[in-house]
Amino acid sequence: MKIAALFPGQGSHSVGMGTDLTAAFPEAAEVYTQVEHVLPGLRALIESGPLDDLTLTANQQPALVAASVAAYRAWRAQTGLTPAFAAGHSLGEYSALVAADAVSLGDALRLTRRRGELMQAAVPVGAGAMSAVMGDPAVVQEVCAATDGVQPANFNAPTQTVISGTKEGVEAANAALKARGLKAIPLKVSAPFHCPLMDPAASGLAPDLQTTAFAPPSFPVYANVTAQPNTDPTALPGLLTEQITGAVRWVETIQALAAAGADVFIEFGPGTVLTGLIRRILPDARTINVGTAAQVQDFTL
């Protein structure tokens, strides 16, 4: 048996996430204590909201890292199990690196707060857009290549690709995709993530990543931008910088994990977004959610 530990990205948050874990497991409580030490006020926001403030990118990113790591550490303490691999969807890559002891929780919280601030500031509100496209990803790539100001941002499932770019570019691509018989659904997002419009955020975060003390991961962590395992800490600043503007290659990542022998996929943290995507990528895969105290306590393989 080989476990792949998976960690969600933005959109999986909710007010109160992880609080039942902190009440049941000292390992989770310690995570939230550290959150308050590193980013004062964030713990109260996670526990009590309001949701609008928690949803702000600069808050949501470190909050999701906290909730995901709390679930993972509670599970480790309860089961004594260790994953063979890890991966995270976009922001979730930071949670995966914490799980693999490649970066400290404190540094991950600081980096994701800064990452969120930079990503939100990179593009004026309303200047960018994103859409979820249902259909052949090859057609999506073809249309994006022929349309200025837009590119694939997330290859989430075999027939679900998110595109990102300028408002005008995404609108033009939406029209072209619909003309080709694909369904394009505009997304309510605060900024156009994973596209070249995020260059200022990538440039801004790069110095922080270069000065962060990364360690060799205790198990391979699959990088979003390569869909390949990485155990080299010196590669992490570059991979995480490139991730801000590059596409999340999630379909390839899950397929690569399966090819490496992963036969149990556990999503740590709030929500079930990744579980749903895995079932579309690998319909026969065994998936488990671990995001609540009850799920940790009732965990079986």
Side-chain angles (χ1 to χ4, degrees):
M1 179 187 67
K2 290 186 177 181
I3 295 170
L6 306 177
F7 298 87
Q10 288 194 185
S12 292
H13 65 293
S14 61
V15 172
M17 59 185 180
T19 55
D20 62 331
L21 289 162
T22 64
F25 298 97
E27 297 79 10
E30 174 56 30
V31 170
Y32 277 48
T33 297
Q34 193 166 353
V35 167
E36 185 57 27
H37 175 72
V38 175
L39 299 174
L42 183 60
R43 178 172 185 169
L45 188 59
I46 295 170
E47 293 176 339
S48 304
L51 179 60
D52 285 350
D53 289 348
L54 181 61
T55 301
L56 294 173
T57 301
N59 293 328
Q60 186 184 160
Q61 292 200 23
L64 277 167
V65 169
S68 298
V69 171
Y72 174 78
R73 290 186 174 173
W75 172 83
R76 282 288 314 275
Q78 176 80 358
T79 66
L81 295 170
T82 301
F85 321 100
H89 191 281
S90 187
L91 162 72
E93 191 166 339
Y94 286 82
S95 304
L97 290 167
V98 175
D101 299 314
V103 66
S104 71
L105 174 61
D107 282 343
L109 292 170
R110 284 184 284 267
L111 285 168
T112 52
R113 165 59 61 84
R114 180 68 174 146
R115 182 178 184 266
E117 291 171 342
L118 289 165
M119 292 172 81
Q120 190 60 65
V123 181
V125 175
M130 300 180 77
S131 288
V133 183
M134 308 304 168
D136 185 349
V139 176
V140 178
Q141 290 177 280
E142 182 182 328
V143 167
C144 286
T147 308
D148 291 336
V150 63
Q151 74 170 37
N154 305 74
F155 294 95
N156 283 336
T159 57
Q160 181 190 321
T161 306
V162 175
I163 61 173
S164 180
T166 64
K167 182 175 182 291
E168 296 77 13
V170 172
E171 288 176 348
N174 286 349
L177 289 162
K178 289 175 182 176
R180 297 282 296 272
L182 278 66
K183 185 177 182 180
I185 304 168
L187 299 177
K188 293 181 180 180
V189 293
S190 58
F193 303 121
H194 298 290
C195 77
L197 293 178
M198 288 288 114
D199 275 335
S203 299
L205 191 63
D208 298 87
L209 291 166
Q210 290 291 343
T211 56
T212 296
F214 290 106
S218 54
F219 41 78
V221 176
Y222 282 64
N224 282 189
V225 295
T226 64
Q228 294 299 313
N230 177 59
T231 55
D232 178 7
T234 66
L236 290 172
L239 290 169
L240 293 172
T241 299
E242 186 180 350
Q243 186 220 62
I244 295 176
T245 56
V248 176
R249 296 165 62 179
W250 193 247
V251 173
E252 291 174 81
T253 296
I254 298 303
Q255 291 171 338
L257 283 164
D263 50 10
V264 179
F265 296 83
I266 305 177
E267 180 175 2
F268 290 97
T272 59
V273 170
L274 300 185
T275 301
L277 294 179
I278 293 163
R279 288 173 179 163
R280 294 169 65 182
I281 300 166
L282 301 172
D284 297 327
R286 186 175 182 198
T287 59
I288 304 173
N289 290 95
V290 175
T292 67
Q295 287 171 332
V296 173
Q297 291 159 343
D298 297 340
F299 183 89
T300 57
L301 284 175

